[in-house]
Structures are given as C-alpha cells and as structure tokens.
C-alpha cells in the first residue's frame, strides 16, 4: 500500500504560498476577534519579539547565502553534507510557518487596535504589533530563500557534483 509521500518518490516539495497565507489569514482573523473583545484586560505587548524575529531572519539569510555557495560548489567552499541540507530545509519550512503565524497574529492585533489609536497605550501596542508582524514577514521570506538555497542545481546529478 503506497502512501502519498511515496507517490512523490520521497522528494520534499518546495513550500507553496497557500499554506503560509492560510495560516497568516486565519491567525490574523482569530487574533483580531480576540483582541477586539479582550484588549482592555491585556498587558502591554513586549517589543522584544521584533529584534528576535529580525535576528532569526538575518541568521537564515546569511545561512542561505553560504549554503547556496556550498551547494553550487563555488571555489573556496567545501560541499555540504546531504543530511545537513535536509535539516536546513526542515528548519526553513518550520520558519516559514512561524513567520506566517507571527505575521498573521500580530497583524490582526494591530488591525484590531485601529479604533483605539487615540490612546497612548493602544498606539504603542499597535506600533509594536505592526513591527512584529513585519518582522514575521521578513522571517518567512528569509526562510523561503533558505529553502530555495538548499536546492541542488539540475546539472549536479548529471555531473556527479553532489557528494554524499
């Protein structure tokens, strides 16, 4: 009996745009509804999520550049182990979902506060939520690039360039 993953010959497919978009939209909608009903009882949002997500995005971007060079066999680099590339792909796929989740949740939070921008507390939270949503988007984009960087060029299999 074959499973759906066997139908693809054991290959990992690139992350599409539908699942991360659905995660962001559904999370944003739920957060929008929750914040509209319970905002007065919430504490200030911590700003620390912004630099955390930005550092993760920056780290994934730098990793993607180096991995891409190694997979393409550029001079001065040593080949990457296949298991390392597979782990990076799994990490990138998880990061895309985390970025979409953060973007949706904090974007929904910011949208829910648009009616209360006259309050300094709400204005601060809206700015923090918007910054965190943007950081989540940047993380998702960096993760997509990392996943792309882990792809083996089509001619590597023909020339024996992939080493295991």
């Amino acid at each position: 009996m074959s499973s759906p993953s066997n139908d693809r010959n054991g290959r990992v497919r690139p992350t599409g745009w539908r699942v991360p978009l659905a995660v962001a939209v559904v999370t944003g909608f739920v957060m929008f509804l929750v914040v509209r009903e319970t905002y007065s009882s919430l504490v200030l949002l911590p700003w620390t999520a912004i630099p955390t997500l930005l550092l993760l995005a920056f780290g994934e971007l730098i990793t993607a550049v180096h991995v891409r060079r190694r997979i393409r066999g550029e001079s001065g680099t040593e080949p990457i182990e296949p298991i390392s590339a597979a782990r990076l792909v799994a990490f990138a796929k998880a990061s895309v979902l985390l970025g979409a989740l953060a973007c949706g949740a904090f974007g929904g939070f910011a949208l829910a506060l648009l009616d209360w921008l006259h309050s300094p507390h709400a204005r601060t939270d809206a700015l923090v939520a918007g910054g965190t949503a943007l950081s989540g988007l940047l993380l998702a984009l960096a993760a997509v690039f990392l996943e792309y960087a882990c792809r083996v060029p089509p001619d590597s299999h023909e020339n024996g360039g992939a080493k295991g």
Side-chain angles (χ1 to χ4, degrees):
M1 184 146 99
S2 71
S3 67
S5 63
N6 288 342
D7 295 340
R8 292 181 278 157
N9 297 324
R11 294 185 181 172
V12 176
R13 294 174 48 191
T15 300
W17 58 271
R18 290 183 183 112
V19 172
L21 181 64
V23 166
V25 169
V26 169
T27 305
F29 181 71
V30 169
M31 186 61 92
F32 178 83
L33 294 177
V34 168
V35 170
R36 295 287 277 178
E37 297 298 321
T38 63
Y39 179 68
S40 59
S41 64
L42 296 176
V43 297
L44 277 172
L45 279 179
W47 59 268
T48 55
I50 296 171
T52 302
L53 292 174
L54 287 175
L55 283 172
L56 284 170
F58 183 69
E60 289 195 29
L61 186 64
I62 296 299
T63 302
V65 169
H66 289 292
V67 165
R68 189 168 188 221
R69 289 183 66 223
R70 290 177 69 185
I71 286 180
R72 296 197 185 314
E74 291 185 16
S75 63
T77 62
E78 56 184 69
I80 190 168
E81 294 291 327
I83 190 69
S84 297
R87 288 176 181 153
L88 286 171
V89 168
F91 177 67
K93 285 182 166 293
S95 294
V96 168
L97 292 179
L98 174 65
L101 187 70
C103 185
F106 288 99
F109 199 109
L111 288 175
L113 295 179
L114 289 180
D115 291 342
W116 292 314
L117 289 180
H118 59 278
S119 162
H121 175 66
R123 189 172 31 252
T124 301
D125 277 349
L127 288 172
V128 169
T132 306
L134 181 61
S135 299
L137 177 64
L138 292 175
L139 173 62
L141 293 174
V144 167
F145 182 59
L146 175 58
E147 185 179 339
Y148 171 78
C150 289
R151 290 183 186 173
V152 176
D155 57 79
S156 289
H157 288 277
E158 297 167 4
N159 296 336
K163 296 180 181 177

